[in-house]
Amino acid sequence: MIQALTVEYPITRPFPGRWFAPLVYTTAAISVAVLAVLNATLTGYETITVFQGDFNITQSYWYSRWLPSYLNAKPGTLCDPRVYNAGDKFTTNYTSFRYEIETVDTATAGTGTTYNGATLEDCDITRLHLNGDIRTWTTDITAVVTCKAKNGFEITARTDFTMSRLPGRRASALSIMETGFITEDMAEVQGNPRFVATGTMLQLAAEDGGQWMWALVKATNNTSPNLISTEVEFEWCPASMGLDAPCSTQKPVFRTVIATMVYPNSTFDFWHPKNTGGPGIITDAMFASYSNIVQTVHAAVRVDLGNPSPNNFLLNSNATDNTLYALFPASSGVNVTRSLLYMARKSPNVIGLDKFLPMNVTGPASLQVVYLCRFQRRKSMSQAAVAIIVATLSMFSGGWAIFMLVATTLTKMKDGHANLCESHATKANPSSYELIGVQKYPPRTPPHGGES
């Protein structure tokens, strides 16, 4: 049984043609070199996962210069979009405020929405909730931002922050946290210029309103409101509408939809246009300081959204007179009062704000996001060598087998006894030619008269 086990080898003979063998070996050598280079690009790298802040980041390789453009990595193909759900928090690249998503208006990933680095040109502040309490010298603000992006990022988000003289009330707005308390010389304040400008102007607006309300309380013997709470709606005017749109060049329009005032004896007045239809409970004298606070928050949030509208007084000093009240009218024993906010914007050098104002917007805002991206990293020398050799030999062996099959078939088709060995087929069995059905040729004469 052991003798029946054999190991065989095929009988070979050279292909005809003087230049056939040199041409084949030269082509094979070139093919091995080309396959080695090709496999260095295909198997010499491994995929790794990295975190990047740019969704459109690309990666280039040493061979990228020789590739056609359509084969190179396109922006946005290496990273996975970020999925946001209700309750998630984010900041823009201007980082003045921290936002929390209230609702996902158009879901693109389950109940959430995907974000792929698009700019926020279709986002704008739409509502504002304000609570001013002079009992604690605190102003609580909630600004609501709506995004109606064409790329599917449609959300409603809110940012909450507090302006207070009380050290126990921590300001949640990033700009106010860095600015700290306003000093007589703000030029000594160190930090992000945008933060300092935003935080200072917001605090001056709140200070104006608080001082005026406190003066009114004292003048009326504690019979005027010591707390005001309102909800405000703004005209929709995102950056995508353009800098020439009327809402970008005219005074920003807002409308108070609900207002409540609380008095020292704990009574309150409530006003809603659907209920009363009257002029409201905010008097003309009170409206001046109230409007300045609303306009300042509106301007600050739009800067954080990267909206360069010309009617933003934080960006354009020429819009100040058309947006802010310089004087608060006299009322109930309170004399005419000059607005600290207005003075600081018109003459920022008085308290050292000239190096922070006017603010600037470098472009549309985008979310500060860390994306999960897949990059290619070179393998170690030993791993790359093994991978390249194995892949090259596999590809070359397959190609060589196909070549030999084709070349052998063509040779047999051209030469009738290309697959015969004369010394065995003709001498051992002279009739073998007839047996295999080919024409019998005379035996070839061996060189030097020897036997074949």
Side-chain angles (χ1 to χ4, degrees):
M1 180 177 179
I2 296 179
Q3 294 179 352
L5 299 176
T6 60
V7 179
E8 300 177 351
Y9 62 93
I11 298 176
T12 62
R13 60 184 305 177
F15 285 98
R18 178 182 179 184
W19 296 103
F20 185 80
L23 180 61
V24 168
Y25 284 115
T26 301
T27 304
I30 296 175
S31 299
V32 170
V34 172
L35 289 175
V37 174
L38 177 63
N39 285 305
T41 64
L42 296 177
T43 65
Y45 293 83
E46 59 184 352
T47 302
I48 60 173
T49 300
V50 296
F51 294 101
Q52 291 288 335
D54 183 7
F55 180 80
N56 295 313
I57 192 171
T58 58
Q59 185 179 16
S60 60
Y61 308 92
W62 57 269
Y63 54 84
S64 297
R65 68 186 70 179
W66 295 294
L67 292 178
S69 58
Y70 65 86
L71 290 180
N72 288 315
K74 302 296 188 298
T77 59
L78 298 180
C79 302
D80 294 329
R82 173 68 183 271
V83 177
Y84 281 99
N85 292 287
D88 289 347
K89 295 180 173 59
F90 65 86
T91 59
T92 72
N93 56 322
Y94 289 99
T95 63
S96 292
F97 301 99
R98 184 184 295 110
Y99 302 88
E100 178 180 344
I101 297 178
E102 283 191 325
T103 60
V104 174
D105 300 322
T106 300
T108 57
T111 58
T113 184
T114 56
Y115 177 75
N116 57 3
T119 56
L120 305 181
E121 295 176 313
D122 293 300
C123 299
D124 196 19
I125 177 173
T126 52
R127 294 199 314 276
L128 175 68
H129 301 265
L130 181 150
N131 280 317
D133 189 351
I134 63 171
R135 297 170 301 179
T136 57
W137 288 93
T138 299
T139 303
D140 297 314
I141 300 289
T142 296
V144 178
V145 171
T146 301
C147 294
K148 301 178 181 179
K150 298 177 182 179
N151 58 11
F153 188 69
E154 298 186 1
I155 63 167
T156 299
R158 59 185 288 173
T159 177
D160 306 285
F161 57 94
T162 298
M163 295 169 287
S164 177
R165 285 188 175 184
L166 303 179
R169 296 293 297 270
R170 179 174 173 82
S172 56
L174 304 180
S175 55
I176 300 175
M177 289 169 61
E178 180 163 324
T179 304
F181 291 105
I182 300 175
T183 64
E184 294 182 358
D185 188 3
M186 293 300 295
E188 299 298 325
V189 176
Q190 302 296 323
N192 187 316
R194 186 179 296 108
F195 284 7
V196 175
T198 302
T200 301
M201 302 306 280
L202 287 171
Q203 291 189 76
L204 285 175
E207 187 77 9
D208 274 345
Q211 292 287 1
W212 190 89
M213 286 188 66
W214 176 240
L216 185 63
V217 168
K218 292 191 297 181
T220 58
N221 195 23
N222 287 331
T223 58
S224 61
N226 54 19
L227 185 149
I228 178 173
S229 180
T230 66
E231 180 183 349
V232 174
E233 288 184 350
F234 294 103
E235 182 181 13
W236 174 254
C237 189
S240 60
M241 296 185 67
L243 301 181
D244 297 329
C247 60
S248 296
T249 57
Q250 301 173 3
K251 179 179 180 178
V253 177
F254 70 90
R255 181 175 68 94
T256 302
V257 294
I258 301 176
T260 298
M261 291 189 180
V262 181
Y263 295 85
N265 61 0
S266 298
T267 60
F268 67 92
D269 285 337
F270 174 78
W271 175 81
H272 192 292
K274 294 182 180 179
N275 295 340
T276 63
I281 56 178
I282 301 178
T283 63
D284 292 339
M286 186 181 298
F287 183 81
S289 61
Y290 166 69
S291 174
N292 281 3
I293 296 176
V294 172
Q295 294 286 13
T296 303
V297 175
H298 180 262
V301 172
R302 300 189 89 196
V303 169
D304 196 51
L305 294 175
N307 190 333
S309 57
N311 62 355
N312 190 324
F313 75 94
L314 294 178
L315 303 175
N316 181 14
S317 59
N318 294 329
T320 304
D321 289 328
N322 192 39
T323 306
L324 300 179
Y325 285 87
L327 300 173
F328 303 148
S331 175
S332 303
V334 179
N335 298 326
V336 175
T337 308
R338 183 175 295 272
S339 168
L340 298 176
L341 172 68
Y342 179 87
M343 289 191 297
R345 185 61 191 93
K346 293 294 288 186
S347 303
N349 58 305
V350 174
I351 59 173
L353 280 176
D354 49 320
K355 74 174 185 177
F356 303 114
L357 291 171
M359 300 173 66
N360 69 302
V361 169
T362 56
S366 58
L367 302 191
Q368 278 197 322
V369 180
V370 176
Y371 301 97
L372 192 64
C373 305
R374 291 168 297 279
F375 276 70
Q376 298 297 312
R377 182 181 63 184
R378 287 184 182 179
K379 294 180 179 178
S380 64
M381 188 65 68
S382 59
Q383 291 179 329
V386 171
I388 293 172
I389 291 174
V390 170
T392 301
L393 291 179
S394 299
M395 297 174 69
F396 180 78
S397 299
W400 181 262
I402 295 174
F403 164 75
M404 291 299 295
L405 177 63
V406 173
T408 302
T409 302
L410 294 177
T411 301
K412 290 180 179 181
M413 293 173 60
K414 183 178 180 182
D415 189 348
H417 43 78
N419 200 37
L420 297 177
C421 179
E422 293 176 359
S423 60
H424 293 81
T426 59
K427 289 186 176 181
N429 187 4
S431 64
S432 59
Y433 286 122
E434 288 79 2
L435 293 177
I436 61 175
V438 297
Q439 182 181 356
K440 182 176 181 180
Y441 292 91
R444 298 179 182 177
T445 303
H448 308 296
E451 294 183 0
S452 61

